């Protein structure tokens, strides 16, 4: 009976919080209580959070240093445009297909690269991102070349464009987070964590190291492709620079800032840093100085990131609030 109540609470609390996070801001955006500018920032933060999950999956969970996740984002972004505008595939289907295309590309790249380790793997994935950028720049007839490609979708033509954008991207983020958490808790996910902690010990225990590395890399590629496929309809215009090294570093910063291996930490960092960058625009060019200084201070005084390897638990947080309320009520009764 106790286990049933615990399982019910573990499902009910995150489910209710997810509904609040998805629907309440959507209604506020629709009613223009949240203006279009703020809506755009928090929606972009949702895309960045998805990319943070992608990087964390390969760097924090699988334990491999990748500097080319922006390449998968660019592949997903261009793929969703071509699938939707050229092949006239419905947008929801195109988003999934774009993620699968990125995952397939990750599968092809994974065979030669995942046999490398450390700096060598980082250099190869960095080169992959640059190759993607150069290819997108030179395929002018397909990608629009360096001028980029415009994407006018149903999201832009709908009356509630910002509302739909926020709803779709936040819903996608919640679904990815839920599925990934369940995967990490599974036997397959535990094996990936074992490979991250000690490859030699894992292999001696019968865990196929290369197989699980490949699985983590492909999942990260799929999530990165989904992030790009959601970014393109939201922004409406993309350029090959989406696959640039700087963009990959931005995504890596979210993970380092939030905590390597902490999915919830990466998401919090993505939202915090996206909002911080917009807030610092009021000081104009000085933000290019203030933003790095903040990151340096965090790395000096909190090198493990905001959460380290820990994860936020809504259930534990609810129990903590409940215990605080019970303690306060008991204190009031003693005073009476």
């Amino acid at each position: 009976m106790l286990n049933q109540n615990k399982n019910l609470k573990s499902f009910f609390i995150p489910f209710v919080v997810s509904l609040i996070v998805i629907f309440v801001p959507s209604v506020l955006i629709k009613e223009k209580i949240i203006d279009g500018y703020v809506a755009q920032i928090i929606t972009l933060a949702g895309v960045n959070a998805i990319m943070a999950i992608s990087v964390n999956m390969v760097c924090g969970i699988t334990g491999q240093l990748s500097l080319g996740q922006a390449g998968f984002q660019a592949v997903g972004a261009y793929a969703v445009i071509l699938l939707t505008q050229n092949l006239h595939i419905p947008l929801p289907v195109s988003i999934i297909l774009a993620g699968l295309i990125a995952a397939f590309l990750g599968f092809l790249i994974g065979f030669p690269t995942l046999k490398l380790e450390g700096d060598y793997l980082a250099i190869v994935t960095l080169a992959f991102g640059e190759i993607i950028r150069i290819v997108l720049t030179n395929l002018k007839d397909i990608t629009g070349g360096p001028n980029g490609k415009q994407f006018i979708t149903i999201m832009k033509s709908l009356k509630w464009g910002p509302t739909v954008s926020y709803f779709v991207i936040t819903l996608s983020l919640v679904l990815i987070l839920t599925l990934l958490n369940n995967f990490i808790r599974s036997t397959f996910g535990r094996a990936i964590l074992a490979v991250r902690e000690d490859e030699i010990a894992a292999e001696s225990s019968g865990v196929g190291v290369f197989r699980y590395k490949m699985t983590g890399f492909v999942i990260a590629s799929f999530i990165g492709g989904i992030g790009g496929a959601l970014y393109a309809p939201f922004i409406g215009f993309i350029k090959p620079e989406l696959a640039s090294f700087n963009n990959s570093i931005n995504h890596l910063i979210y993970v380092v800032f939030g905590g390597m291996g902490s999915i919830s930490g990466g998401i919090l960092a993505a939202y915090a840093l996206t909002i911080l960058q917009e807030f610092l625009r009021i000081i104009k060019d000085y933000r290019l100085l203030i933003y790095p200084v903040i990151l340096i201070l965090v790395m000096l005084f909190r090198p493990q990131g905001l959460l380290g390897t820990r994860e936020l638990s809504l259930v534990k947080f609810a129990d903590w609030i409940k215990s605080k309320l019970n303690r306060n009520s008991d204190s009031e009764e003693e005073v009476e």
Side-chain angles (χ1 to χ4, degrees):
M1 185 65 179
L2 184 62
N3 289 333
Q4 289 181 350
N5 291 335
K6 185 178 180 180
N7 291 335
L8 182 62
K9 185 167 62 174
S10 299
F11 168 79
F12 182 74
I13 294 176
F15 179 73
V16 171
V17 172
S18 298
L19 290 180
I20 293 173
V21 168
I22 294 170
F23 285 100
V24 172
S26 297
V27 173
L28 296 177
I29 294 171
K30 176 188 169 185
E31 298 299 328
K32 300 192 183 303
I33 298 174
I34 295 178
D35 61 34
Y37 175 67
V38 175
Q40 186 176 24
I41 294 172
I42 59 177
T43 306
L44 179 60
V47 176
N48 290 337
I50 292 175
M51 291 309 303
I53 293 175
S54 173
V55 176
N56 220 334
M57 182 64 204
V58 67
C59 295
I61 305 300
T62 310
Q64 308 300 311
L65 180 57
S66 173
L67 297 178
Q69 291 307 108
F72 296 112
Q73 184 183 20
V75 168
Y78 277 94
V80 77
I81 292 178
L82 297 174
L83 291 171
T84 305
Q85 294 187 167
N86 294 9
L87 301 180
H88 306 291
I89 297 175
L91 183 59
V93 179
S94 296
I95 291 173
I96 300 298
L97 290 177
L100 292 175
I101 291 171
F104 179 70
L105 188 61
F107 178 77
L108 294 179
I109 295 169
F111 271 106
T113 59
L114 292 180
K115 295 178 182 179
L116 303 172
E117 294 181 359
D119 297 339
Y120 300 105
L121 176 61
I123 292 170
V124 171
T125 52
L126 170 61
F128 156 71
E130 286 301 301
I131 290 171
I132 291 294
R133 185 183 64 82
I134 293 171
V135 169
L136 293 174
T137 301
N138 287 279
L139 291 177
K140 297 181 181 180
D141 295 336
I142 300 175
T143 65
N147 295 325
K149 197 169 184 66
Q150 191 173 7
F151 190 21
I152 301 174
T153 70
I154 56 172
M155 283 189 179
K156 299 296 178 182
S157 61
L158 287 173
K159 183 179 179 181
W160 299 338
T163 305
V164 175
S165 298
Y166 174 84
F167 179 84
V168 171
I169 289 174
T170 307
L171 176 62
S172 301
L173 172 61
V174 171
L175 288 176
I176 290 172
L177 178 60
T178 303
L179 293 173
L180 188 59
N181 278 332
N182 288 330
F183 172 78
I184 293 173
R185 291 190 180 97
S186 68
T187 304
F188 222 88
R190 297 294 183 185
I192 291 178
L193 292 176
V195 171
R196 179 193 69 181
E197 296 300 327
D198 194 324
E199 291 185 14
I200 297 175
E203 192 166 12
S204 64
S205 300
V207 176
V209 171
F210 181 77
R211 174 190 175 191
Y212 288 104
K213 279 185 180 181
M214 176 67 74
T215 301
F217 193 76
V218 169
I219 291 174
S221 304
F222 175 78
I223 297 173
I226 293 292
L230 292 169
Y231 177 85
F234 167 59
I235 296 299
F237 179 80
I238 56 173
K239 297 180 70 175
E241 279 68 27
L242 189 62
S244 67
F245 172 66
N246 288 338
N247 201 25
S248 290
I249 291 299
N250 285 335
H251 299 152
L252 184 61
I253 286 174
Y254 301 143
V255 175
V256 175
F257 187 82
M260 192 76 74
S262 174
I263 301 296
S264 54
I267 293 174
L268 288 176
Y271 274 91
L273 293 180
T274 302
I275 294 171
L276 177 63
Q277 289 182 59
E278 291 298 323
F279 179 76
L280 291 177
R281 286 186 187 275
I282 61 177
I283 57 176
K284 299 181 180 179
D285 292 341
Y286 288 102
R287 72 186 180 92
L288 300 176
L289 173 63
I290 301 299
Y291 183 71
V293 167
I294 293 174
L295 295 177
I296 290 172
L297 290 175
V298 171
M299 290 301 100
L300 287 175
F301 296 102
R302 185 73 180 176
Q304 69 270 38
L306 294 177
L307 297 182
T309 57
R310 295 173 296 176
E311 296 287 354
L312 285 179
S313 174
L314 294 174
V315 177
K316 291 181 179 179
F317 182 68
D319 290 339
W320 178 78
I321 292 177
K322 184 179 178 181
S323 64
K324 286 288 185 181
L325 293 175
N326 290 337
R327 190 177 304 170
N328 290 336
S329 62
D330 292 340
S331 298
E332 290 177 359
E333 290 178 358
E334 291 176 2
V335 171
E336 292 177 356

